[in-house]
C-alpha cells in the first residue's frame, strides 16, 4: 500500500507544470526586484572602482628565409651576394621572446619592479608617465641596485610624506621589519634592512604634503613571472612569419612601452649573436693576413736579392718554349698548393674549434668544395643556435643535448671531408710533379740559377694569391658587419586594442544571474526550513488526495461569511466546495459530511458553519456539533445559554431528538445540533448506538448533514464517528498546519480510517490568491483575521481583548 502511494506521489511530482512553478515564483517578485536593484548597484560600484586591465597588442615580422619576412629589399640584395646568411625558426624565436630571461631583462631595464602609488579612499592610483591627474610623474624616484632587488623575498614598501616645515618622512616595511627615516632634502640614501636605496627628486614635480607617496619594490623575478603570465606570443598564421604579441596591463602607457622595449631587447640580442660569428671570421682572417704578409715580404726580398746576386736577364727562346709548357703545370701546382694551404689552415682552425665549443669555422674563405662549404655554414649555424638556446636554458636540457649530438655528427663529416680533399690534392700534386719533372729534365741545360729563380717566383706567387684572397674576404666580413639586419621588424606599433576586464556586459550579466539565483536559493531554503504547509502544491507533492477547495483568508471579524446575496471570492470558493462535494457524493442517500483537521486552530468549525450555510442556500441542511470535548459551534453561531445538545442525547438525558435541534436564525433551511454540556466520557458516548440512531433519523429529515468533529491528531473521536459518515473533509490551514500532518493524512488514507477523505486548504493569503484563480479578478482580497479553531472560549476572549 505504501509503495503504491509513493508511486502515485512520484507521478504527480512529474506532472507539475512550468506554469505552476512560475506562479509560485511570482509570489516573491518583490524579492527578485530588490535583489536585482542591490546587485546592479554593487556591479556599478565595482565597475566604478575596479582597476581596468587593458589588452595591448603589436605585430612583428620575424626574419625567416623559409617563409620570407626579411622585410628589407636592400638587405635582401646583400643576402643574395652571400654576405648575410642564416635564418630563424619562428617557433624558436617565439620561445625566445616569451622566455623568463627576456622578461627579466625588460623588467630590469624599465625599472618596473619599482612602482609608485597614490593611495585613495576607495581606489589606488599608479603613477607611470603622463596622464595621471595627481602627479604626471613621480615626485620621488627610488632606485635600488637590480642585484640587490633580486635578493628580495617579498615586497619592500615605502610611505613618503612631507611636513609643513619641509621634512621628508619615510615609513618603510619589509616583511615583519619596520623602519623609519627623516631627512630635509633630496637626493638621499635610505638605509633599509635589505640594503641601500637612492631617493632622488623630480625637477618639475614636487611632493604635496596632502598627498603622500607610496613606493613598492618587488623582486624583478616575481615581476617578470607576472608579465610572463600576462604575455601571449603566437604566429599570425602557419604560412607567414608574422607574430602577434599581446599583453594584459593595468596601465596603457606602461603596456605600450613594455612591448616596444621587448622588441628592442630581442633585436639587440639577436643582432649580437649574428655579429659574433662574422666577427670571429674577421678576426681569423686578420690573423692569417699578418702571417702571410710577413711571408710575402720575405719571399719578395729573396727574389730581389737572388736577381741582384746572379744578375739574371731574359730567358732564351728555347728555354721559354720549354718553360711555357712547364708553366702550365706550375699553375696547376700553384693552385693545388694554395688549396692544400687552405685545407691546412682549415684543419688547424677545425682542431681549435674542437677544443673550444663556442669557436666558429671561417666560412668566408670560400673553400673550393661546395659540399664542405655547406657543412661549415651549417656547423656555424648550429653553434650559434646552441649559444642562443644556452642563454635561456642549461646544458642538460633535451634541446641542448640534441644540438650537441647534431654538432658532433656534423664535425665528424667535416673532418672526413677535409681528410678526403687533402688526399685527393696530394695525389694530384704527385701527378703534376711527375709531369713537371719531365720538363725539368728538358730544361737541364738551362742555367741552374734560372730554375732556382722560378722556384722562388712560384712560392712568391702562391703567397700573393692567398694574400689577395684573404683581403677580399676581410672586406666581405666588414661589409657583413655593417649591414646586419634586425631579426624582428615591428609592422604594427603597440597600441591598446581593448579592455580585458572588468567587462561591463559580463559583470552586469553575472549580477543579473546572481540577483535571480539568490532569491531562488532563499526561496528553496525557506521552503526547506519551513515546517508549515504554505500552498496546495506542497499537498499535491506529498499526498495523492484531492484538494477540493482553497478558502481565502477573510478580514471580516465574523465567523459567518456566506450570505444569500454575497458573491465575494470566499463565498464563491465555498460554492465551489459545495459543487465538488456534491460531485463526490453523487447518490442521494449519501449526505453526511464529516469535517475534521489535524490539530486545533485550523478552522474546521469555520468551514463547517459556512459550508452548511452554503448548502442551506438551496437545500435543507443541518450542522451537528460532535466536537463534544471543546465545542465552539454554539459560540460561533451566537447560541447563548446552556443548551441541551448531542451529548445529552447520547447520554440518554434527552430522548427526543426534536428537543436538541435548534433552528438557525441566519437561514430558514439551516438547523443546528450543538454539542451540549461537556461530558466526562466523550469517547465512550460516541460508541453508543444512539449515535447511529440519531444519524438515521437525520438522514430521513435533511438533504445534507454537516458534522463538526474533533481533530484526529489529538483524539480518536472522529474515527468513531466515521461509521455514520459518507465523506470526510480534512481541513489544513496555510502557515498553521505543520507538514508532519501530511504523514498523518497519508497514514489515514493508506489504512482507510476515514471514508472518502478530501483536503480543504484554509486561510489562503492574498499572495497566493492569483494562483488559485480568485481575488485578482474581483480587484480586492478577503480574509478573516480573527482567531478561530480548536481553542477554549477563554483563549478566544483573550485574543479579542488584545
Amino acid at each position: 500500500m505504501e509503495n503504491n502511494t509513493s508511486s502515485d506521489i512520484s507521478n504527480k511530482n512529474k506532472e507539475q507544470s512550468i506554469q505552476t512553478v512560475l506562479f509560485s515564483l511570482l509570489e516573491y517578485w518583490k524579492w527578485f526586484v530588490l535583489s536585482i536593484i542591490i546587485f546592479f548597484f554593487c556591479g556599478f560600484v565595482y565597475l566604478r572602482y575596479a582597476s581596468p586591465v587593458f589588452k595591448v597588442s603589436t605585430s612583428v615580422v620575424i626574419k625567416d628565409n623559409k617563409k620570407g619576412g626579411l622585410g628589407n629589399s636592400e638587405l635582401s640584395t646583400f643576402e643574395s651576394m652571400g654576405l648575410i646568411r642564416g635564418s630563424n625558426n619562428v617557433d624558436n624565436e617565439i620561445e625566445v621572446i616569451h622566455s623568463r630571461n627576456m622578461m627579466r631583462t625588460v623588467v630590469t631595464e624599465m625599472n618596473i619592479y619599482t612602482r609608485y602609488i597614490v593611495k585613495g579612499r576607495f581606489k589606488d592610483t599608479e603613477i607611470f608617465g603622463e596622464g595621471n591627474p595627481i602627479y604626471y610623474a613621480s615626485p620621488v624616484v627610488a632606485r635600488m641596485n637590480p642585484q640587490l632587488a633580486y635578493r628580495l623575498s617579498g615586497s619592500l614598501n615605502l610611505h613618503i610624506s612631507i611636513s609643513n616645515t619641509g621634512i621628508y618622512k619615510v615609513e618603510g616595511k619589509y616583511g615583519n621589519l619596520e623602519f623609519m627615516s627623516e631627512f630635509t632634502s633630496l637626493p638621499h640614501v635610505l638605509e633599509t634592512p635589505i640594503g641601500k636605496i637612492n631617493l632622488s627628486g623630480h625637477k618639475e614635480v614636487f611632493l604635496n604634503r596632502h598627498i603622500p607617496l607610496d613606493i613598492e619594490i618587488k623582486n624583478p623575478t616575481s615581476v617578470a613571472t607576472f608579465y610572463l603570465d600576462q604575455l601571449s606570443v603566437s604566429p599570425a598564421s602557419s604560412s607567414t612569419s608574422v607574430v602577434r604579441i599581446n599583453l594584459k596591463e593595468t596601465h596603457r602607457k606602461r603596456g605600450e612601452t613594455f612591448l616596444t622595449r621587448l622588441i628592442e631587447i630581442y633585436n639587440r640580442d639577436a643582432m649580437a649573436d649574428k655579429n659574433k660569428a662574422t666577427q670571429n671570421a674577421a678576426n681569423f682572417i686578420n690573423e692569417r693576413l699578418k702571417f702571410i704578409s710577413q711571408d710575402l715580404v720575405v719571399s719578395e726580398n729573396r727574389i730581389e736579392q737572388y736577381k741582384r746576386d746572379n744578375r739574371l736577364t731574359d730567358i732564351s727562346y728555347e728555354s721559354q718554349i720549354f718553360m711555357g709548357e712547364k708553366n702550365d703545370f706550375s699553375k696547376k701546382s700553384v693552385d693545388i698548393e694554395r688549396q692544400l694551404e687552405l685545407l691546412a689552415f682549415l684543419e688547424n682552425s677545425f682542431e681549435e674549434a674542437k677544443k673550444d665549443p663556442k669557436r666558429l669555422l671561417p666560412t668566408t674563405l670560400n673553400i673550393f668544395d661546395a659540399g664542405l662549404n655547406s657543412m661549415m655554414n651549417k656547423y656555424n649555424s648550429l653553434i650559434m643556435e646552441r649559444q642562443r638556446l644556452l642563454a635561456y636554458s642549461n646544458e642538460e636540457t633535451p634541446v641542448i643535448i640534441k644540438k650537441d649530438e647534431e654538432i658532433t655528427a656534423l664535425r665528424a663529416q667535416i673532418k672526413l671531408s677535409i681528410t678526403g680533399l687533402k688526399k685527393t690534392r696530394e695525389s694530384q700534386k704527385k701527378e703534376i710533379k711527375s709531369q713537371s719533372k719531365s720538363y725539368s729534365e728538358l730544361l737541364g741545360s738551362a742555367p741552374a740559377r734560372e730554375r732556382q729563380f722560378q722556384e722562388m717566383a712560384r712560392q712568391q706567387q702562391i703567397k700573393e694569391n692567398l694574400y689577395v684572397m684573404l683581403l677580399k674576404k676581410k672586406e666581405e666580413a666588414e661589409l657583413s658587419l655593417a649591414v646586419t639586419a634586425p631579426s624582428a621588424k615591428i609592422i604594427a606599433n603597440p597600441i591598446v586594442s581593448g579592455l580585458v576586464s572588468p567587462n561591463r556586459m559580463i559583470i552586469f550579466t553575472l549580477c543579473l544571474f546572481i540577483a535571480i539565483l539568490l532569491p531562488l536559493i532563499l526561496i528553496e531554503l525557506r521552503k526547506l526550513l519551513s515546517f508549515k504547509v504554505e500552498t496546495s502544491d506542497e499537498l499535491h507533492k506529498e499526498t495523492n488526495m484531492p484538494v477540493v477547495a482553497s478558502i481565502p483568508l477573510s478580514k471580516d471579524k465574523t465567523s459567518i461569511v456566506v450570505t444569500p446575496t454575497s458573491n465575494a471570492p470566499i463565498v464563491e470558493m465555498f460554492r465551489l466546495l459545495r459543487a465538488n462535494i456534491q460531485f463526490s457524493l453523487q447518490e442521494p442517500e449519501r449526505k453526511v459530511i464529516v469535517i475534521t483537521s489535524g490539530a486545533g486552530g485550523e478552522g474546521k468549525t469555520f468551514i463547517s458553519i459556512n459550508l452548511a450555510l452554503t448548502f442551506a442556500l438551496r437545500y435543507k441542511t443541518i450542522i451537528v456539533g460532535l466536537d463534544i470535548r471543546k465545542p465552539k459551534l454554539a459560540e460561533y453561531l451566537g447560541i447563548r445559554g446552556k443548551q441541551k445538545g448531542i451529548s445529552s442525547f447520547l447520554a440518554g438525558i434527552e430522548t427526543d431528538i426534536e428537543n436538541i435541534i435548534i433552528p438557525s436564525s441566519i437561514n430558514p433551511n439551516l438547523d443546528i445540533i450543538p454539542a451540549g454540556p461537556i461530558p466526562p466520557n466523550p469517547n465512550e458516548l460516541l460508541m453508543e448506538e444512539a449515535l447511529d440512531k440519531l444519524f438515521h433519523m437525520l438522514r430521513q429529515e435533511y438533504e445534507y448533514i454537516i458534522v463538526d468533529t474533533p481533530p484526529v491528531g489529538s483524539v480518536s473521536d472522529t474515527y468513531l464517528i466515521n461509521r455514520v459518515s459518507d465523506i470526510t473533509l480534512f481541513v489544513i490551514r496555510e502557515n498553521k498546519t505543520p507538514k508532519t500532518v501530511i504523514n498523518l493524512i497519508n497514514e489515514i488514507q493508506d489504512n482507510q480510517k476515514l471514508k472518502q477523505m478530501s483536503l480543504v486548504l484554509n486561510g489562503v493569503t492574498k499572495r497566493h490568491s492569483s494562483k488559485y484563480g480568485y481575488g485578482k479578478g474581483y480587484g480586492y482580497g478577503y480574509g478573516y483575521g480573527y482567531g478561530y479553531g480548536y481553542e477554549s472560549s477563554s483563549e478566544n476572549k483573550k485574543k479579542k481583548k488584545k
Side-chain angles (χ1 to χ4, degrees):
M1 184 73 71
E2 292 180 357
N3 292 336
N4 292 337
T5 302
S6 300
S7 176
D8 292 339
I9 295 173
S10 177
N11 292 333
K12 291 190 67 175
N13 291 340
K14 294 178 181 179
E15 294 173 359
Q16 295 299 312
S17 65
I18 297 177
Q19 184 178 8
T20 304
V21 176
L22 292 177
F23 270 126
S24 64
L25 294 178
L26 286 176
E27 299 170 12
Y28 303 92
W29 66 270
K30 293 182 180 179
W31 290 24
F32 289 97
V33 172
L34 181 61
S35 178
I36 290 173
I37 293 173
I38 292 174
F39 278 98
F40 266 69
F41 176 76
C42 293
F44 175 79
V45 173
Y46 172 79
L47 291 172
R48 172 66 179 81
Y49 294 104
S51 297
V53 178
F54 301 98
K55 180 183 179 182
V56 186
S57 304
T58 185
S59 296
V60 298
V61 58
I62 302 294
K63 187 178 77 171
D64 188 341
N65 292 343
K66 295 179 180 179
K67 298 181 180 179
L70 185 62
N72 191 314
S73 59
E74 291 81 2
L75 296 180
S76 299
T77 302
F78 289 112
E79 189 176 39
S80 64
M81 294 170 59
L83 301 182
I84 301 177
R85 299 184 179 90
S87 63
N88 300 317
N89 181 276
V90 174
D91 294 334
N92 290 341
E93 298 310 307
I94 287 176
E95 292 301 320
V96 172
I97 295 174
H98 196 262
S99 64
R100 190 182 303 276
N101 285 355
M102 186 69 70
M103 294 299 106
R104 290 175 59 179
T105 304
V106 177
V107 168
T108 303
E109 293 191 5
M110 289 183 63
N111 194 30
I112 56 177
Y113 58 87
T114 302
R115 297 202 172 186
Y116 305 91
I117 303 167
V118 175
K119 297 286 186 180
R121 181 179 299 176
F122 301 104
K123 184 179 181 181
D124 298 339
T125 303
E126 187 173 356
I127 303 172
F128 186 91
E130 300 179 358
N132 190 289
I134 303 173
Y135 297 118
Y136 71 83
S138 177
V140 180
V141 179
R143 297 190 182 278
M144 174 181 279
N145 188 293
Q147 299 303 323
L148 190 62
Y150 280 116
R151 292 165 50 192
L152 290 172
S153 59
S155 61
L156 177 66
N157 298 293
L158 304 177
H159 180 78
I160 304 177
S161 59
I162 187 171
S163 65
N164 295 333
T165 58
I167 302 297
Y168 290 91
K169 181 179 180 181
V170 178
E171 297 173 328
K173 185 176 181 180
Y174 176 61
N176 296 326
L177 302 176
E178 296 183 358
F179 56 93
M180 187 182 69
S181 177
E182 293 184 351
F183 48 91
T184 57
S185 62
L186 293 172
H188 176 75
V189 178
L190 179 66
E191 295 287 347
T192 69
I194 193 68
K196 295 180 179 180
I197 298 177
N198 294 320
L199 300 179
S200 59
H202 196 274
K203 295 180 180 179
E204 300 178 355
V205 182
F206 304 98
L207 187 63
N208 189 322
R209 62 188 180 90
H210 299 294
I211 308 176
L213 179 69
D214 286 88
I215 300 177
E216 183 183 43
I217 303 176
K218 292 185 176 181
N219 190 309
T221 300
S222 65
V223 178
T225 302
F226 170 79
Y227 276 100
L228 195 64
D229 295 335
Q230 304 304 311
L231 185 73
S232 63
V233 185
S234 59
S237 67
S238 59
S239 59
T240 66
S241 60
V242 176
V243 173
R244 291 195 177 98
I245 306 175
N246 299 315
L247 176 68
K248 297 177 183 178
E249 243 294 355
T250 56
H251 200 288
R252 294 170 176 261
K253 184 64 177 178
R254 184 169 58 212
E256 295 172 357
T257 306
F258 186 93
L259 291 185
T260 302
R261 184 66 64 88
L262 175 64
I263 301 304
E264 290 176 358
I265 293 174
Y266 166 76
N267 279 330
R268 184 185 67 193
D269 293 349
M271 291 175 67
D273 290 338
K274 293 178 182 177
N275 289 339
K276 187 182 295 182
T278 307
Q279 188 63 52
N280 287 339
N283 293 337
F284 173 79
I285 292 172
N286 287 332
E287 291 176 4
R288 302 311 305 166
L289 278 174
K290 183 172 67 172
F291 291 113
I292 293 174
S293 177
Q294 294 174 357
D295 292 343
L296 187 59
V297 170
V298 171
S299 180
E300 290 176 347
N301 289 337
R302 287 178 60 190
I303 292 175
E304 181 181 355
Q305 187 65 35
Y306 185 83
K307 285 183 177 182
R308 187 182 298 114
D309 293 342
N310 294 282
R311 298 179 180 179
L312 292 178
T313 59
D314 293 338
I315 303 173
S316 63
Y317 177 75
E318 183 179 358
S319 297
Q320 290 179 356
I321 294 175
F322 292 115
M323 191 59 67
E325 296 293 332
K326 190 172 184 300
N327 281 340
D328 292 335
F329 292 100
S330 296
K331 291 179 181 179
K332 295 180 180 179
S333 178
V334 167
D335 185 61
I336 290 176
E337 287 290 340
R338 183 179 67 83
Q339 293 179 14
L340 288 173
E341 184 85 12
L342 288 175
L343 289 173
F345 290 157
L346 183 59
E347 189 174 27
N348 182 47
S349 177
F350 183 75
E351 293 298 325
E352 294 177 355
K354 288 174 61 178
K355 299 176 182 179
D356 184 7
K358 300 180 181 179
R359 188 177 182 91
L360 303 175
L361 297 179
T363 58
T364 56
L365 294 178
N366 199 12
I367 301 301
F368 45 87
D369 187 83
L372 181 58
N373 269 329
S374 176
M375 287 189 289
M376 291 170 62
N377 287 330
K378 185 176 179 181
Y379 177 87
N380 287 344
S381 297
L382 290 174
I383 291 295
M384 288 189 290
E385 187 173 358
R386 180 183 184 274
Q387 290 301 114
R388 291 186 62 195
L389 294 174
L390 197 58
Y392 305 101
S393 58
N394 56 60
E395 294 184 347
E396 296 179 357
T397 57
V399 66
I400 296 299
I401 293 173
K402 185 177 180 181
K403 289 295 176 188
D404 289 340
E405 293 175 354
E406 293 179 5
I407 291 172
T408 301
L410 188 59
R411 187 183 289 133
Q413 294 179 9
I414 293 173
K415 177 66 177 177
L416 185 64
S417 179
I418 292 174
T419 303
L421 288 174
K422 285 183 66 177
K423 289 182 179 179
T424 302
R425 294 301 180 269
E426 289 290 344
S427 177
Q428 292 175 352
K429 179 180 177 181
K430 289 180 180 179
E431 183 179 354
I432 292 173
K433 187 176 181 180
S434 176
Q435 293 178 355
S436 177
K437 184 178 180 182
S438 63
Y439 282 98
S440 295
E441 293 175 355
L442 294 175
L443 293 173
S445 58
R449 294 170 298 176
E450 188 67 23
R451 289 198 304 272
Q452 292 176 1
F453 173 78
Q454 293 295 335
E455 291 292 334
M456 288 187 291
R458 184 170 63 252
Q459 294 296 326
Q460 186 268 344
Q461 186 179 8
I462 291 173
K463 301 293 184 183
E464 183 178 0
N465 289 339
L466 185 59
Y467 183 78
V468 172
M469 186 269 293
L470 289 177
L471 282 177
K472 178 182 178 183
K473 295 302 178 184
K474 177 183 178 182
E475 292 298 322
E476 291 178 354
E478 292 178 351
L479 184 59
S480 179
L481 286 173
V483 298
T484 301
S487 294
K489 177 181 179 182
I490 297 178
I491 59 176
N493 291 327
I495 189 173
V496 175
S497 59
L499 184 67
V500 177
S501 67
N503 188 307
R504 297 181 65 87
M505 182 62 69
I506 293 178
I507 294 298
F508 283 120
T509 301
L510 184 61
C511 288
L512 180 61
F513 175 76
I514 297 176
I516 294 175
L517 181 62
L518 183 61
L520 289 175
I521 294 174
L522 293 177
I523 290 170
E524 289 302 319
L525 286 176
R526 183 177 181 272
K527 291 179 179 179
L528 290 174
L529 299 176
S530 175
F531 299 102
K532 307 294 183 180
V533 176
E534 295 184 358
T535 65
S536 62
D537 292 338
E538 296 175 353
L539 299 176
H540 287 303
K541 292 178 182 178
E542 301 297 333
T543 182
N544 62 348
M545 283 187 293
V547 179
V548 292
S550 296
I551 307 301
L553 184 67
S554 175
K555 293 182 180 180
D556 296 336
K557 299 301 181 180
T558 178
S559 59
I560 299 173
V561 296
V562 176
T563 61
T565 59
S566 175
N567 58 357
I570 189 170
V571 177
E572 294 301 323
M573 291 309 297
F574 273 109
R575 289 192 174 104
L576 176 62
L577 176 59
R578 180 185 64 186
N580 289 334
I581 292 173
Q582 288 177 324
F583 179 78
S584 299
L585 292 174
Q586 293 182 351
E587 299 175 2
E589 62 274 9
R590 302 183 67 213
K591 54 182 67 177
V592 179
I593 304 166
V594 171
I595 300 176
T596 187
S597 63
E602 294 177 337
K604 60 180 181 55
T605 304
F606 172 82
I607 298 295
S608 301
I609 293 171
N610 287 281
L611 179 60
L613 287 170
T614 305
F615 275 106
L617 293 176
R618 187 166 182 178
Y619 307 101
K620 188 171 178 58
T621 307
I622 187 170
I623 180 170
V624 181
L626 271 178
D627 186 355
I628 58 179
R629 293 177 183 266
K630 292 184 179 180
K632 293 293 182 64
L633 185 62
E635 179 184 347
Y636 285 0
L637 291 174
I639 301 174
R640 304 299 178 184
K642 294 184 179 181
Q643 298 287 338
K644 294 180 180 180
I646 196 169
S647 61
S648 304
F649 182 82
L650 295 177
I653 299 173
E654 180 62 57
T655 58
D656 189 357
I657 193 174
E658 296 296 334
N659 293 333
I660 62 174
I661 297 177
I662 302 173
S664 171
S665 60
I666 304 171
N667 191 303
N669 286 333
L670 178 64
D671 290 336
I672 306 164
I673 299 179
I678 299 176
N681 56 345
N683 196 266
E684 284 72 14
L685 286 180
L686 293 175
M687 297 174 64
E688 297 291 338
E689 293 184 4
L691 181 65
D692 301 82
K693 178 181 177 182
L694 172 66
F695 275 88
H696 177 72
M697 290 186 291
L698 293 178
R699 287 176 184 272
Q700 305 299 322
E701 297 292 330
Y702 296 93
E703 295 179 87
Y704 289 98
I705 303 167
I706 311 299
V707 183
D708 180 25
T709 65
V712 295
S714 302
V715 293
S716 61
D717 295 2
T718 305
Y719 298 129
L720 299 175
I721 301 170
N722 183 57
R723 68 181 189 272
V724 297
S725 70
D726 295 316
I727 188 172
T728 303
L729 297 183
F730 197 103
V731 178
I732 295 176
R733 186 174 177 181
E734 181 182 294
N735 294 321
K736 176 72 175 180
T737 302
K739 291 183 178 179
T740 54
V741 171
I742 297 178
N743 296 329
L744 175 63
I745 294 172
N746 288 330
E747 180 188 355
I748 294 172
Q749 177 69 8
D750 293 341
N751 297 320
Q752 297 294 316
K753 291 182 179 181
L754 297 176
K755 294 179 181 178
Q756 197 172 343
M757 188 166 63
S758 299
L759 305 180
V760 176
L761 184 60
N762 186 30
V764 177
T765 56
K766 184 178 179 181
R767 65 189 182 94
H768 293 152
S769 61
S770 60
K771 181 163 66 172
Y772 299 120
Y774 57 83
K776 190 172 182 180
Y778 294 92
Y780 56 91
Y782 286 86
Y784 49 113
Y786 57 89
Y788 66 93
Y790 195 65
E791 299 171 344
S792 64
S793 302
S794 60
E795 290 174 344
N796 270 334
K797 291 177 181 178
K798 289 179 182 179
K799 290 183 179 180
K800 290 180 180 179
K801 288 180 181 180
K802 291 179 181 180

